[in-house]
Structures are given as structure tokens and as C-alpha cells.
Amino acid sequence: MASEFSITLLAVLIPLVLWLLNRTGRISHSIFQVLAMLCIGWEAGTILYVYAAFETARIATYLSAAVIFSTFCVVLGQWDSKRSSTPLDEPLVVLGLCLAALCGPAPVNRYFLIGLFAFAAFSLYRSKLSATRKTIGLAQAAIAIVLSSVFFWGGDSFDGSAGLFLAVTLVPLPPFHVLFTSLVGSARGMLSGVWTVAFLALGLAEIHNLQTVIPMVTEIHVAIAFLALLGGLYASLKCLGQNQIHVLLTYATIVHVTLLWGLTTVFSSFSEWGIPFGITVGLVMNGLFVAYAFVQQRYGSPTIGNLPGLASPMPRLGTLVGLLISIAVLLPIIPIFGGITTMPATENQGGSLVIISLLFVGVWMFGSWHFSHVLHHTLFGKARSDIPYTDLRVAEICSLVLIIFGASFSILIN
């Protein structure tokens, strides 16, 4: 029987080989699409084999399945397209490294996490961001790499501090959000959604591990809740001033995960409510990134207000985006009911409850505004007469329908 390490190594090497072949060879887009689908099938089979043969944790398998599912939907959405706004080889590399970091044997899985941060830094270095944002993002990636490298050499106290930094980086909590916003906001096409789900999946695993490392101290809970309140307010205000869809969706993701951070101080049993909520956020945002990547592929980078009235000439796009935004608006309710119905609230949390109440109201209020703003200025209104609109094709419809189904399923198991 193959060892767990060798199976995990293959899960990384095959996507890397495809990435190198696509960068150095002359593989056509249609052939690479087939190879990408076969690679995703291999990754799914690998996770199932590792889960059955080596008793991998159920949570790691669930998070891995979410990353595989989101990557499959991205590749599927480009199936009948002759040209792609998303380089299909990069999602495969992110997928392989993420799965190895989630399901690989400890402590080797930390090296694969280092590889993911290194690839994120490489992608960020090639971006067209300003020098300041690029420098801050690269510095945060470098710190994450260092902490991942020495994670298993320290004691429990070091494990808690290092794991907490990785968690607030991967599940972005301001002011530790720069790497996430820079990477996701500058990624090409649907790659933004893949990075979002990958970061959230790895971050949720870190938060789950921290439940047994960080002591249940009231002062720590109040500090996290207060930071989540300030971070949610900051990200909401950033959403108000954005006219680029990708950047707005990036900060909208941060708004929702600040609620997740805040509720970790109130409800125990994080795996019962927090992980399904985090994955639902990732899938919904991935669906919106995918939908607007279809628009970008047709008409260039979508700026809010420049392409109004898409629902009229593109009714299939309008219906599916409307469903995704409806789910996004309802997202703040999910962890509240999930936390209440799964586990009782922890004791001695009066200060946290006040902060969380303000955070919940703020996230819901601002979230309802900026999602309705996107809905009103892109789907509704009068369509431009100078643009030859073409509605979604079959593969694109299937991609968005599957994402909606996956997000709804994640809600149901919450």
C-alpha cells in the first residue's frame, strides 16, 4: 500500500507538472481543459483514498471537498469557451497545494502550506498592484512562511500565537487582511474565487485547531470580538467606496468572516456551525466571482454602473446572480441559528455579546446595502444599445447552478 506521504506528494506534483507544461509547451486550450478535468478527478480520488485508508479527519476531508468542488466549477465554466479570462493551470496548483496542506501527514503538511504561501507571493509579485500594497502583502506572506516553517518546533504557547497569525491571515481579519485583499483583488478572472475558497478552507482548519490550544479566557474573547467589530466596520466602509466588482466582493468576504471571528467568542463547537458557515461564504463569493468573470470575458473588466441592465439581455445570468446575491444577503443569519441550535453559548461573555450584537447588525445592514447596490447597478436599469449581449452558455450555467447547489447544501448542514 502506498504511503500517505507519497499519495499526498502526487496530489501536488501532478498539478505542478501540468502548470509547467502549460507554461513551457504548446498545449491547446481545449486539450488542457480535458487534462484539468482529469487532474481534478485525480485529486478527488486521492482525498477519498486518503480518508478511507489513513483515517483522515472528517473536517479536513470536508474542507478539501469544498476546494475541489470550487475548482471544478471554475474549470467547467470555461469548458465551451475558446479563450479564457482565467489561466486554468493556476487553479490546479492552488488546489494541489491546498489539499496537501489540509490532508497531508503532520508535520509535512506544513511544508505544503509554505508552498501555497510561496505561490501566493509569486502571484502577488507578478500583479500590477502599487508598490506599497505589494510590499505589505509580500511581507505578510513571508511572516506566514516563517511561522509555518517553525510551527512544530515550539511549545504550546508558540503554537497558539503562530496558529493565530496564520488564522487571521487566511480567514482575513483586519488589519491582517492585506495579503488576502491584494491577492484576491488582483487575481485574473475566476482565480479570485479559487483563492478565496482555498484561503478560507485552510483558515477554518487553523481556527478549529486553535480551539484546543488557545485558553478560553474572557479577555481574549473580548479582544477578538472588539477587533472583529472594528474590522467589519472598516471592510464595510471600503465596500461603500468601491466601483470595481472584484475589489468590492473581496471586502464583502472580509465583512462576513469578521462575523465568524466574532461568534467564535460566543459559541463553542466551532466545527458544527463555523466551518459550514465559512465554506458557504467561500462558495457564494466564488459564484459571484465566476459570474462576473463571464461578464469580464465578454465585455472587459466590469465596473459598477458601466454595464447596467444585464438582466434584460442576459436573463439566465440575471437569474443566477440574483439567487447568489439573495443567499449572500441572508448569510449573517446562518451562523446565529447554527450556533444557537448546535451548542449552548459559553459562560461569562457579557462584553462579547454586546459587541457581537453590534457586529451582527452592522454586517447585515452594510451587507444588504452593498449587495443590493451591485444588484441594482448591474442587473437592473436600461441596457446599453451599443453592446451585442450574449447570454450564458450551457457550461457556464451548469457551473453557477452547481455553485448555488453547493452553497445551499452547506447551509442545510449548518
Side-chain angles (χ1 to χ4, degrees), residues 65-139:
V67 181
I68 293 172
F69 177 76
S70 63
T71 308
F72 170 77
C73 291
V74 165
V75 176
L76 177 63
Q78 298 295 308
W79 186 255
D80 55 5
S81 175
K82 295 182 180 179
R83 65 181 184 88
S84 174
S85 62
T86 302
L88 294 181
D89 52 357
E90 293 186 28
L92 298 181
V93 176
V94 176
L95 171 64
L97 291 170
C98 184
L99 296 187
L102 284 170
C103 295
V108 178
N109 59 341
R110 288 292 166 182
Y111 292 109
F112 294 116
L113 181 60
I114 292 172
L116 183 72
F117 279 123
F119 188 70
F122 173 70
S123 301
L124 190 58
Y125 177 77
R126 295 187 305 162
S127 68
K128 298 180 181 180
L129 292 171
S130 65
T132 301
R133 288 191 63 84
K134 189 180 295 186
T135 301
I136 297 174
L138 291 174

Side-chain angles (χ1 to χ4, degrees), residues 41-54:
W42 166 264
E43 301 293 325
T46 298
I47 295 302
L48 290 176
Y49 177 79
V50 170
Y51 177 73
F54 302 105

Side-chain angles (χ1 to χ4, degrees), residues 322-350:
L323 288 173
L324 285 168
I325 289 181
S326 299
I327 297 174
V329 171
L330 294 175
L331 277 177
I333 304 176
I334 299 172
I336 300 295
F337 283 101
I340 292 175
T341 57
T342 55
M343 291 293 291
T346 55
E347 298 179 356
N348 301 323
Q349 53 186 357

